[in-house]
Amino acid sequence: MSLRLSIIVPVYNVADYLAKCLDSLLAQDIPQNEYEIIVINDGSTDNSAEIAKQYADKHSNIILINQENQGLSGARNTGIANAKGEYVQFVDSDDYLEENVLGGLLKQIEEHKLDVLRFKYQNVRINSDGNYEVFQPYKQSNFIFDDYSKEPVNGVDFLNNRFGTACYAWAFILRKEVLDDCIFKQGIYFEDTEWTPRMLMKVKRVASTDTIVYNYLMREGSITKAINKDKQRKVLEDKIKLVDSLLEHQQNIEGKSWFERMIAATVLSIIGCIAADFYDERKLYLSQLKDRKVFPLSYINTTKQVKRKLQLINISPTLYCLMMYIKNYR
């Protein structure tokens, strides 16, 4: 019997969270012989590999692959290369799924012959008692109100008319064939945002479900909370590289409204980073943005608050940067 689904779980030093993740993947409403859980231990230095091995020894549908550290993208790509399912799902190893949701997802994607199915998520945290709690259910993007229509459309229509700016690879189940020439770029931050439009631009049938499937754990240690100066600089410069990627890909489609929104969101974030961490180098980084001809930024389908920010940036990126600097350090 062929496998219906491969779930790819990159693992790196998540010993405190891995068991909950794997338990959630096993607590599903499809037979275990119909799906596999591929755990890629990406050079963990804690006992994550031992925990994963215990699960693999106990459950025949859990496959453990050990490799030297290659980062999140490298681990996902290893999972893709080893996946045997007709469909693929990514789950980060400190997150977890709701119980008994995979059956409904696979039913929808199979009945409607979809290439990609998107689902909803919610943010969770660990409270002072050590328990998980929802603290910020799914909320709409500041740049467009996401449309969770079930009717299939092609990927470009989906990008332009139904998709916000929250790009997460784990928010989709997709046909394995889509990944044949659409793997993750290694060595960069924001790999999901670079990958998502490339993936969607090549598919013919994509739809959504409004079911909350995924629980995203907000915890210390994410790249957005980096305090190391070198790491902060790489985050900033990778955001500029992301702008380059978006500018490149938007040339290949008709209708560029999603790319315009995503570029606006990214530039807004870049200027925030400059004001917070690299104000002394603002001329260098702002000139790089101007050289890329990203201004004026689009503010179509934004909230009133974001629209005002983008309008001010369009008047003067330098003035907006100064205002953010003063706000941060007054």
Side-chain angles (χ1 to χ4, degrees), residues 33-51:
N33 64 354
E34 293 186 7
Y35 72 109
E36 62 181 355
I37 302 166
I38 305 175
V39 179
I40 301 94
N41 172 44
D42 192 43
S44 296
T45 58
D46 64 1
N47 64 331
S48 294
E50 289 79 3
I51 295 171

Side-chain angles (χ1 to χ4, degrees), residues 2 12 22 44 59 67 83 96 113 164 181 205-206 209 239 246 248 275 290 294:
S2 61
Y12 181 73
L22 295 178
S44 296
H59 301 278
Q67 67 179 30
Y96 61 97
K113 297 179 172 58
D181 58 352
R205 294 179 63 82
V206 53
T209 174
K239 287 183 179 181
L246 295 169
E248 176 186 354
K290 293 176 183 177
V294 298

